[in-house]
Amino acid sequence: MAVPPEYWAMELLDHKIGHGLFEIRPGHHQHPDPSTDNDVPDEECAVCHRPRDGRFEGVVGDLKDGMARGCRLCDALHQVIVAITQEPYQLSHPFQLEVRKGVPATLDICVATVTAGDVYQPLFAKYQLFFQANATKRPKSLHAFDSIGFGSPVASNARSIQCLSFVRSALNQCLEKHADCGQSPDDPELPTRVLDLGDNDSQIKLLEPKPGTRARYAALSHCWGARAKRLETKQATLETLKSTVPWADLPPTFQDAADVARCLGLRYLWIDSLCIVQDSAADWEVESSRMAGVYRDASVTIAAVSSASSDDPFLKPRNPGLRGMLLGLGISRAEQQMTPEELGLVAPQVESAPFFALGIRPLAVHATAGPLSDRAWTFQEEKLSSRILRFSETELSFECRRGIACECDMYGAEYNRGPSAPPLPPLHGLAALEEGSPSAEMLRRLPPQLNPFLAWQSRVAEYSKRKLTFASDKLPALAGLATICHTITKSAYLAGIWRDHFVLDLLWHPTGTRTQAERPQFPQAEGPASWKHGMAVDADKLPDPSSLTHFHVEKLRKVAAYEALLKMDIPGSFGTPSTSDTQTHPAPVGFVEEYRAPTWSWASVDCPIEFRSIPRNDDIEIEVTVVDAQCTVNGLNPFGRVSDGYVLLRGPLIQAQLSTRPLRRNYGSYLLKQDNIAVEFKPDLPLALDSPTAEPRVRRATSADDQHGQFQGVSVWCLSLIRSRDGSVREVMVLGLSARVPGAYERLGLISASTPRAVQNLNHWFRPDADITSTEIKCV
């Protein structure tokens, strides 16, 4: 779905405008007129309709009309927008209020406009709107705010008592009340090694417990960092660390993790760099294969989301601009005479005045991403954990199988009080099924969201977007999740693909830019981008002019590039347009220089991938039979690295001719012809001729190949994998002869049958009267 153009600068604004931009001035509170009782009428406001679920869009002038009709929600929204924009007399500012039942609302506000050349663009910033009170219910006079969910204040420091109280409360509530979160009545068996934290001031040491020792423990998920201070267990230091681990030697991230574990009453802590002997290949292989159990059995996983390395603490002060402000809401005269019990005050025995307010803060406070979110190794740590406690830059969040709770209450306050767990556990697409281990027949009957094979595909698609320091870790970094899926399905694992779901697992395809095509120079915007004059916002709250110009001109260039594609002979795969002829480009995405997996596996490419979605009905027919499939595991971990692999497939196979397309705008796209009928083909990676002087043979290109090479009519082979009986679906895999294994084939990609015409052409290739025989081939 295309992103609306007015949101192109949203992320920029969240970080440069949305922090501390507003101020609710003293004395500007919503107090009702004391001359009346001020009970809110039952009828809805004709302007905002007091939305319960959905969106309310308009301009400030609309709110003025609602205020004139006595709507307190319109009045409050107007005050908030004026406080943010600092333009009390501007009636044309657009905004959008999005409301979801039981959670804080999202308010998009136009905070500025920008022009570049003849283009005028409104810029929006996102804010969180929430109701805050020292009571558990809302008075009748505040009925207009029923659509705004309760929110909580976010602590200014992650090391505060408020944060530690949140941590203890969330974990204890899950352990005591969530039977479906996988907490056994018996303590889990400790891993091979753990850090023994002792009491609060005790000396820390590395412990190798006796087999069968049971106790609760925490696990740490963190970024190592390329240049960080590292404390690792090696063969030479193992005995020393078993005696003592000096507190001063622990990196800041480890120290914070130890403090959190102790706060939770957990004596033992598992940290990969200390609990796995880093210079022992055998120990690494064995312990990495056990990672699924380590994170699953941990009472909680502490995720240092905001820490880019072990030198970066996560218990630290937060950005003060994200704390937000409150707009006090007055109640009626009659309600002011009510007792604390009648008002529902949280602590009626404490003498305190009723407090009701509308809170506003940048939505960036709810950001849960960070450096940890980009790393491939931490992906399975997150998915395998029974409970995970995330320390982001802005707030704390706690996730278990029942749901998610966070400091700001954006997920709602009722996640853990429902009578039963949701049908799809938010954290465990795979791990939640492990206890049941359904039979093969049950697997076929499971709904898509609980089918472990489809859950695996979903996880792989997410994982493929993460970054690896070492390309050879592509399979080992997902071995824990593979262990869980194998436990459930009992299926053989073949370099990221499952034997009992093999054909459907072949339906992966890369997404995004996969080439290093030359990037053209796009038209420049005429004149610099500039902010609208007269906006009363401090200069340091706005992006600097050069930054603003860069972002806006980039947008204009991309639009111009898209239009130019229809007319000009320019590459079809372009990234951020260059502003300099001397700019160096990053290495192409997708190429893998050394063998890592068979070509039929998604692990053989280095780029984000997705799986084709196939309708789940009896009309779909798999046309290929898996005769045999084997992989040679390189090491002790059966779900780790592989050194070789093949599959024998039997199905309808035809020969076709592959050609590069003549115009440079079609770079990365090829034409396949068979029986004088052509289809477009976008391979997994750019292609190259393997033997240009002998019989032409097409293979995946590497970074050393000429990516602009031209060829015509080179033979390839097309294997029909899946079809529907009504002719609406056809999936075909394209193969080339292998240079590495004589007589075998290598995958080049899938034909994109995304249009009815393409499916029609493929059906003609494989029509019944074509007399196509079933052929057995070896694919490597």
Side-chain angles (χ1 to χ4, degrees), residues 302-322:
I302 301 166
V305 176
S306 62
S307 299
S309 73
S310 56
D311 283 341
D312 188 6
F314 58 84
L315 296 181
K316 54 190 175 184
R318 292 164 173 167
N319 187 335
L322 295 175

Side-chain angles (χ1 to χ4, degrees), residues 567-580:
K567 308 174 185 177
M568 302 168 57
D569 183 16
I570 60 176
S573 296
F574 60 87
T576 304
S578 169
T579 57
S580 169

